[in-house]
Amino acid sequence: MQLEQRSRSVESTWSGSVPTAFDGRILGLVVILAGFAASLNVPYGGLQFAVVAFALLVAIGTVAHVLGERQLRRLTEGLLEHWLEAGAPIEDVQRSSTGLRTEWTVLTPSGEVTIGGLALVPIGRFAVEWNGVGDSVEASAATEHLDVLAGDLYEEIFEIEAGVQR
């Protein structure tokens, strides 16, 4: 069954944009870990080497977070676009956060769907939670299989809630 073949029964009121999610908490973690790692270099390379290591690690961590946030936002936008094409009634998308997870709350008549994950490129995770049940997958795997993921989640969230059975 393809998403394009499903009927549109309820119109969406969502504006079509997903808010940015640049997260200061993750950057704080990056700075703390970079400081710790750089401090280990003081006895071996001196203070100057530790300062250079700190600056380099903070720069790499910041870039990793920016790229991770972009990846999660693109995944969220792609997922929501697939749902809209299938006729999902999306009311709004708001920025939210839990712990170190970067998240968006999608408001639907079926309830709130939380989409997000860990926004750090090499270890990025993509997670979706609905009705207290969630699942996560590696962000790169979610990017590769977004069509299948969107279809499965659409069926689980919107069709089962509406009482449609296959």
Side-chain angles (χ1 to χ4, degrees):
M1 184 175 356
Q2 293 192 2
L3 291 174
E4 293 82 20
Q5 295 175 346
R6 296 188 182 131
S7 65
R8 290 185 174 211
S9 58
V10 180
E11 290 296 317
S12 175
T13 58
W14 174 51
S15 67
S17 65
V18 175
T20 60
F22 196 72
D23 201 341
R25 296 167 302 154
I26 292 179
L27 292 179
L29 178 66
V30 165
V31 168
I32 289 170
L33 291 175
F36 176 70
S39 70
L40 296 176
N41 289 316
V42 172
Y44 304 105
L47 187 59
Q48 294 156 336
F49 185 71
V51 169
V52 169
F54 175 77
L56 185 63
L57 291 171
V58 166
I60 290 170
T62 302
V63 168
H65 174 58
V66 168
L67 294 176
E69 185 271 338
R70 281 182 171 176
Q71 183 179 37
L72 287 180
R73 195 168 74 189
R74 271 188 256 126
L75 281 167
T76 302
E77 287 174 349
L79 192 64
L80 295 176
E81 286 173 9
H82 281 287
W83 289 354
L84 282 174
E85 289 174 5
I90 297 172
E91 297 171 352
D92 195 17
V93 178
Q94 302 170 347
R95 169 81 170 92
S96 60
S97 61
T98 304
L100 288 178
R101 287 179 43 172
T102 301
E103 296 178 338
W104 294 271
T105 301
V106 179
L107 304 175
T108 69
S110 301
E112 292 184 354
V113 179
T114 304
I115 302 172
L118 181 61
L120 285 172
V121 165
I123 58 173
R125 301 285 298 172
F126 181 69
V128 177
E129 183 178 325
W130 176 68
N131 277 348
V133 178
D135 195 12
S136 69
V137 65
E138 189 175 316
S140 60
T143 302
E144 292 174 18
H145 305 289
L146 185 60
D147 293 336
V148 174
L149 181 64
D152 291 345
L153 289 170
Y154 179 86
E155 288 176 9
E156 183 177 335
I157 295 170
F158 298 104
E159 288 185 353
I160 292 174
E161 183 69 24
V164 175
Q165 300 204 3
R166 295 193 257 165

